[in-house]
Amino acid sequence: MKPVSWESFYSEFEGQFDEEQSLGIELFDSMGLRNKLDNLGYKINTSTLLDMSRIGEYFPTISDQSEESVIMIFHKLPLDFDYDDGNEFIYKWFGLHKKYIRSFDPYFMPEKSREEQSLEKLENLKNFTKNWFESESKDWLNFLVEKTKERTYGHYETKPDEFWWDPKKVEDWEYECAAALTASCISEYESKGKELVKEILAGYVAQTNSISEGQSTKINMLLLHSSMIGFENYFLNDCKLGGNESIKLTDEIVLKAFSIDSN
């Protein structure tokens, strides 16, 4: 059986995922497995803390049941997931044969106070943004920041009643954050496809919603503008798609991630 892509998985089970638990898959650690994960599009996460929300990353760690070195990956958990057929399911949708699998279990998202979560995610966003702007993508990111400012300023001048805040008084890091989140999604598009990128972008929307109410409102609008500009620019210039096709594909990803009705 030839494994299908994550895009097919997230498309097949869209709207049918558990909201409180994720699927944690524990794998036997080896260089062969790590090469396999790299080929499947996963990226290593060297954090000492497992983050059940990080889809598309793998965590080298130590098994809770033994002192074995293992790899943890996480995906959203379908509501009707059958643990008796879990090995076949994981192979079909994620391309990992049962010889790699040590165990798989539901993982509850850890509970923290709302204030703790807000401060932690705010700090994570700032560090995430800083790392992107220290990368080779800095020039393109600065271009995206300027275009996002232009679009947001224009929106404000045309419809000021839709704003409780002045876009010209927003801190630069918030525009940069929107650009970095957009760039992160675009970088995943080629390996992970449209459906999973929609999930990743929707996750970023949820992440910015979990910081302080005022700030999340601003960053979400900036992220909407930035992702519309960034994806359309990417499809036009990097993928060499036509204008209408680029706009359509951008709408399918961005508007869906933001739960905006395109009609």
Side-chain angles (χ1 to χ4, degrees):
M1 180 188 299
K2 183 179 179 180
V4 297
S5 68
W6 298 349
E7 180 176 4
S8 299
F9 170 69
Y10 283 95
S11 177
E12 176 75 17
F13 295 97
E14 183 175 4
Q16 302 173 56
F17 292 111
D18 193 302
E19 295 295 328
E20 297 180 352
Q21 299 179 100
S22 62
L23 176 63
I25 305 171
E26 189 175 81
L27 306 165
F28 296 105
D29 192 4
S30 68
M31 284 308 300
L33 170 67
R34 294 190 183 211
N35 291 334
K36 177 73 171 178
L37 292 172
D38 290 338
N39 290 335
L40 288 170
Y42 292 89
K43 294 182 179 179
I44 190 169
N45 187 318
T46 56
S47 171
T48 56
L49 297 175
L50 296 180
D51 185 344
M52 292 76 176
S53 68
R54 304 297 292 181
I55 296 170
E57 298 182 4
Y58 67 89
F59 296 80
T61 187
I62 301 297
S63 173
D64 289 338
Q65 283 75 40
S66 69
E67 295 186 355
E68 287 183 90
S69 295
V70 295
I71 297 287
M72 289 297 304
I73 62 171
F74 299 95
H75 278 283
K76 289 195 173 185
L77 178 64
L79 291 170
D80 61 353
F81 183 78
D82 185 345
Y83 287 89
D84 290 335
D85 293 326
N87 285 323
E88 290 77 12
F89 185 97
I90 292 167
Y91 178 65
K92 175 181 179 180
W93 295 109
F94 308 134
L96 291 165
H97 194 274
K98 65 180 179 180
K99 69 179 181 181
Y100 295 117
I101 302 170
R102 191 179 188 280
S103 63
F104 44 88
D105 295 285
Y107 279 72
F108 279 96
M109 303 298 285
E111 293 186 6
K112 295 182 181 180
S113 72
R114 188 169 182 176
E115 183 178 0
E116 286 179 320
Q117 290 179 352
S118 175
L119 290 173
E120 180 180 318
K121 295 203 173 182
L122 179 61
E123 189 62 29
N124 287 342
L125 282 172
K126 288 184 175 181
N127 289 333
F128 178 88
T129 300
K130 180 175 179 288
N131 290 336
W132 267 97
F133 273 80
E134 290 176 350
S135 72
E136 295 179 356
S137 303
K138 183 177 180 179
D139 289 342
W140 187 81
L141 287 165
N142 283 325
F143 161 80
L144 188 54
V145 165
E146 291 307 310
K147 291 299 181 182
T148 302
K149 285 182 177 180
E150 289 177 15
R151 176 172 291 195
T152 309
Y153 294 170
H155 187 173
Y156 178 67
E157 290 168 2
T158 304
K159 298 180 178 179
D161 291 342
E162 295 184 2
F163 290 74
W164 57 265
W165 47 282
D166 185 343
K168 295 183 180 180
K169 295 181 180 179
V170 171
E171 293 183 54
D172 281 345
W173 88 265
E174 294 177 88
Y175 281 102
E176 291 171 356
C177 178
L181 293 171
T182 298
S184 176
C185 288
I186 291 173
S187 72
E188 303 287 10
Y189 179 81
E190 185 173 350
S191 62
K192 295 180 178 155
K194 181 177 67 178
E195 294 301 325
L196 186 55
V197 166
K198 282 194 290 189
E199 293 288 342
I200 294 172
L201 182 55
Y204 287 153
V205 174
Q207 185 178 9
T208 58
N209 272 333
S210 64
I211 61 177
S212 63
E213 183 177 352
Q215 202 157 42
S216 67
T217 303
K218 290 186 288 184
I219 295 178
N220 270 338
M221 180 176 285
L222 302 181
L223 179 56
L224 173 60
H225 290 173
S226 175
S227 53
M228 291 293 287
I229 295 166
F231 270 103
E232 187 174 340
N233 181 277
Y234 167 72
F235 290 135
L236 278 169
N237 297 310
D238 291 74
C239 300
K240 306 301 181 185
L241 301 180
N244 290 337
E245 190 175 358
S246 296
I247 292 170
K248 180 182 178 183
L249 193 50
T250 297
D251 286 349
E252 288 177 5
I253 294 171
V254 178
L255 297 185
K256 184 70 174 180
F258 277 83
S259 300
I260 296 174
D261 189 348
S262 58
N263 296 322

